[in-house]
Amino acid sequence: QFSKGGTNRPAIWIDTGIHSREWVTQASGVWFAKKIVLDHESDEGLASILDEMDIFLEIVTNPDGFVFTHTQNRMWRKTRSRNSGSLCIGVDPNRNWDAGFGGSGASGNPCSETYHGPYANSEPEVKAIVDFVKNHGNIKAFISIHSYSQLLLYPYGYTATPAPDQKELDEISKKAVAALSSLYGTKYTYGSIITTIYQASGSTVDWTYNQGIKYSFTFELRDTGRYGFLLPATQIVPTAQETWLALKVIMLHARDHPY
Amino acid sequence: DIDDVGHKYYLELVLEDVLDKDSTVNCTAEVLYHLGNKNIPPGVQFTIEGELKNTDEADNLFYNRIKSLEKELVAENIPDSHGNMSPEMEPIRLLAWAASGYVIWQNSTENTKFQLAQIKHVKQVKRSDEYLEFDYMILLHEMVSQEIIPWQMTVLWHPQHSVQVTQ
């Protein structure tokens, strides 16, 4: 938690590493933490955000999976929970949320990379965040970070019905993507999850949006497939730097549009 | 939509040299996804407007380097977990990428999006003729299902001939 004081201030949530193989995200999370600590007074935008809002940053959102990618299988995506009645391990933490849970866009097969789990919030990694968000009660922006594909996405993934705030979310996305691009020319596409990437049920930001957190976004960071999950470490800092510019657009908008 | 046949897509695209971003070539293509039978790869026709860059020098350099190795080339995890690989491995990776393009084409439908994720293992196979032969074990990443699919492919190449994949 990054806070300049107050009690239960409106807050921004950022998570990285929910899918363990997406290593540029946890690494970017570390960079964001350092950035906030070093620049919270010198960076005007950041200072003004923190004057009114707190930032919560969860860096290794799927720790078991992350360890597994270091020790056994670099391509592991899911959690490492045991599935009753199956030899296959793990639940896709981005299909385990209570928004269209179990519908099209997730798999009921424990051996699948998009297995939604036995029931919503079955995964402690997910339940912990659900409980936190509900108890905090004052989160105004929620950003979940993935890789790869270079996309900025907003709800919904589980249904083709447009989100009520689609127009505003789309406008924010356009600005955020332009800011990101301004640094190194990295090209991003943006739109709702279902129209831009694919149908996905039980995803994080669909749930947070339905909880009333209007500014709910998912990022897919670099690259577009040349290295994919195995992005060279030399690209970590540039990726984090450009992504931070997009995050600031979203955070500033949240600060300027209280609800 | 073509009744009883399938779905045809008309594409205008720009090919960009991965090693030289400024080198581009325009291309038009027609892709036909066949109805029903999932075992038929999509039909592809294309026209390249202009010429692809000449790569004779680099090709010959790589060819001669491999030919002059004392022991057959063997390598794993290209790139490694951190996205790193030695410069000598770059042509090996590019060859895998070209060859995996063929594998991906043969296995694509309207509902798949494949990428080469990693070379797990590559082994050069000795040949009596002029061709280079490599046995690759690769990992493909399928975007829609998010699955990682291991695939074994044998690749033949010679500077004056195109890449051949015998699965």
Side-chain angles (χ1 to χ4, degrees), chain B residues 151-164:
Chain B
W151 202 278
Q152 194 272 321
M153 58 183 192
T154 302
V155 181
L156 294 174
W157 180 73
H158 180 277
Q160 265 103 61
H161 304 284
S162 52
V163 177
Q164 263 176 275

Side-chain angles (χ1 to χ4, degrees), chain B residues 122-134:
Chain B
V122 60
K123 188 185 71 183
Q124 183 188 0
V125 179
K126 205 166 182 171
R127 285 183 74 89
S128 48
D129 63 16
E130 50 174 8
Y131 278 87
L132 296 182
E133 181 176 336
F134 297 97

Side-chain angles (χ1 to χ4, degrees), chain B residues 39-58:
Chain B
N39 289 328
I40 306 177
V44 177
Q45 287 181 304
F46 66 94
T47 316
I48 298 182
E49 283 148 40
E51 275 173 22
L52 295 176
K53 211 165 68 167
N54 183 294
T55 57
D56 288 349
E57 199 186 321

Side-chain angles (χ1 to χ4, degrees), chain A residues 122-161:
Chain A
S122 62
E123 302 313 280
E125 298 86 347
V126 170
K127 180 104 183 15
I129 302 174
V130 167
D131 290 346
F132 176 81
V133 167
K134 284 182 165 172
N135 289 333
H136 187 281
N138 208 15
I139 303 210
K140 297 300 175 186
F142 192 104
I143 302 155
S144 193
I145 301 185
H146 293 252
S147 76
Y148 58 93
S149 285
Q150 291 175 205
L151 305 170
L152 176 50
L153 306 166
Y154 49 79
Y156 286 113
Y158 75 95
T159 171
T161 306

